[in-house]
Amino acid sequence: MDAVEDEWYAVRHSGEIPEVALCSALYYLSHDPGGPGLRLTREQEKMLVQAAEMRYQEIVLRDLQPSQENMPGYRGIKRSIINWQRYLRFCSRQRIDADGFRAEVATGLLLFVREGLLEAESRQRDISINCTYVELCCFAAELGLSASLLPESVRQFCRS
């Protein structure tokens, strides 16, 4: 594997703020005295930016999946909201259109809420939404969803 591929992997599988890993990779590859001193092509830079974008998308969706609730990295809808906002700022700086992914996140949010409510009603599990109802409605609106698509019964599972 070459240095660019190594850094792609590091960015793609980075932590909660992929843009930090991206900046670190770009610096290491091009400017760091201990790095390879490469002049990256536009294609190589684009590949690294796409790795950060994919990682952001992964972590936004991760916290909208009820199956992830018992996993160590799961942080709930509140973290998804935070990561969505980070993703939007990243997209703005990188001139990336977030609309296609916006629809995917909107679908994920609706499925999370509906599945959680169904399971709570059938007493299969307790649903816990770690944000306020207002935050949930604002997130839905940012995703282009009408608040009317969120069942009123979800309010009781939100933080006060």
Side-chain angles (χ1 to χ4, degrees), residues 9-82:
Y9 186 84
V11 172
R12 176 63 185 90
H13 299 285
S14 62
E16 290 291 305
I17 308 177
E19 193 165 12
V20 172
L22 171 64
C23 291
S24 178
L26 293 171
Y27 176 77
Y28 168 74
L29 291 168
S30 301
H31 303 294
D32 188 333
L38 301 175
R39 274 187 72 123
L40 296 174
T41 65
R42 284 191 181 135
E43 191 60 37
Q44 288 171 319
E45 286 184 17
K46 183 178 177 182
M47 183 177 77
L48 292 167
V49 168
Q50 286 173 332
E53 180 183 16
M54 287 187 292
R55 179 62 181 149
Y56 268 117
Q57 291 175 348
E58 181 177 69
I59 62 177
V60 168
L61 291 175
R62 173 196 65 206
D63 294 320
L64 293 177
Q65 296 175 12
S67 63
Q68 295 291 310
E69 283 183 305
N70 295 321
M71 302 301 281
Y74 182 79
R75 303 288 184 268
I77 288 181
K78 180 78 169 183
R79 178 62 74 165
S80 190
I81 293 168
I82 291 166

Side-chain angles (χ1 to χ4, degrees), residues 106-120:
T107 299
L109 176 62
L110 288 176
L111 289 173
F112 178 90
V113 168
R114 289 178 182 157
E115 183 178 317
L117 288 175
L118 285 174
E119 289 180 4

Side-chain angles (χ1 to χ4, degrees), residues 63 66 69 74-78 112-113 115-117 119-120 125-132 136 154-159:
D63 294 320
E69 283 183 305
Y74 182 79
R75 303 288 184 268
I77 288 181
K78 180 78 169 183
F112 178 90
V113 168
E115 183 178 317
L117 288 175
E119 289 180 4
R125 74 175 173 98
D126 288 332
I127 180 177
S128 176
I129 298 178
N130 65 346
C131 63
T132 67
L136 182 64
V154 77
R155 182 186 294 264
Q156 67 185 313
F157 299 104
C158 294
R159 287 212 170 133

Side-chain angles (χ1 to χ4, degrees), residues 94-112:
Q94 297 295 328
R95 295 185 177 101
I96 295 172
D97 181 8
D99 285 340
F101 185 57
R102 182 184 312 271
E104 190 174 344
V105 177
T107 299
L109 176 62
L110 288 176
L111 289 173
F112 178 90

